[in-house]
Amino acid sequence: MTFRFRRSARLGPLRFNFARSGLSSISIGGPGASLNVPVGRSGTPRTTVGLPGTGLSWSLEHPAGPAAGLPNSRRLRPGQLERLRLSLLQTLQQELFGPGRPGERLWREGRLSRLLADDRLSPAAAGLLAVIETPEAMEAYLLRSRSQDDARRRAQRCIQAVEEAWRLAGVP
């Protein structure tokens, strides 16, 4: 005879589902209809409707929204954050600083360094522009991110820095 571990626990209308790595998902509902929301695993929320006792059921996965395809920062697997960082860095370098792109002239002509040397520049603007002063500075800034959300915020800040630099430099 072997012992088994119950992989779920109920607390009121909620059922907490466990996996080897910990909490996997939370289900709301009971026999006949439930909503399962993933917590410690990948996937999207799922609604299931069925006829109790018959084994017949119908499930519908809900769309993930604007972050579809990106790993959830609470459940990153080893290497996922690093791949996300590198992907964001490559995209920023191509779209903002690639040949013929707005940021490329900022670096090539040294405009960022001149803007940062200007005493009239506010501390907030100087901090923003320092993020993209050189390719190495931007790379270091982005690679210091600690989560998916932090990486996306840092990438957005790089985009804002380019827009601000163009505005301050007075280039169309």
Side-chain angles (χ1 to χ4, degrees), residues 111-124:
R111 291 180 183 213
L112 284 168
S113 298
R114 284 192 300 248
L115 284 170
L116 286 168
D118 190 348
D119 293 339
R120 297 173 291 170
L121 191 63
S122 72

Side-chain angles (χ1 to χ4, degrees), residues 27 29 31 34-35 39-40 53 73-74 81 96 98 102-103 107 135 140 151 166 170 172:
S27 297
S34 68
L35 172 67
V39 175
S73 59
R74 293 175 304 197
L81 180 58
L96 296 177
W107 280 345
W166 272 104

Side-chain angles (χ1 to χ4, degrees), residues 14 18 31 40 48 54 60 69 78 84 114 116-117 119-120 126 137 140 145 169:
L14 302 175
F18 298 96
T48 303
T54 65
L60 172 68
L84 176 64
R114 284 192 300 248
L116 286 168
D119 293 339
R120 297 173 291 170
S145 59

Side-chain angles (χ1 to χ4, degrees), residues 8-47:
S8 65
R10 255 205 184 306
L11 181 62
L14 302 175
R15 177 177 295 263
F16 297 90
N17 304 302
F18 298 96
R20 287 186 180 137
S21 60
L23 183 63
S24 174
S25 65
I26 299 174
S27 297
I28 303 166
S34 68
L35 172 67
N36 183 284
V37 180
V39 175
R41 63 174 174 80
S42 61
T44 61
R46 176 186 304 235
T47 301

Side-chain angles (χ1 to χ4, degrees), residues 77-94:
R77 291 188 179 92
Q80 280 185 314
L81 180 58
E82 185 63 27
R83 283 192 300 274
L84 176 64
R85 289 176 186 149
L86 293 174
S87 173
L88 286 171
L89 180 62
Q90 181 181 18
T91 301
L92 287 172
Q93 287 172 337
Q94 288 173 350

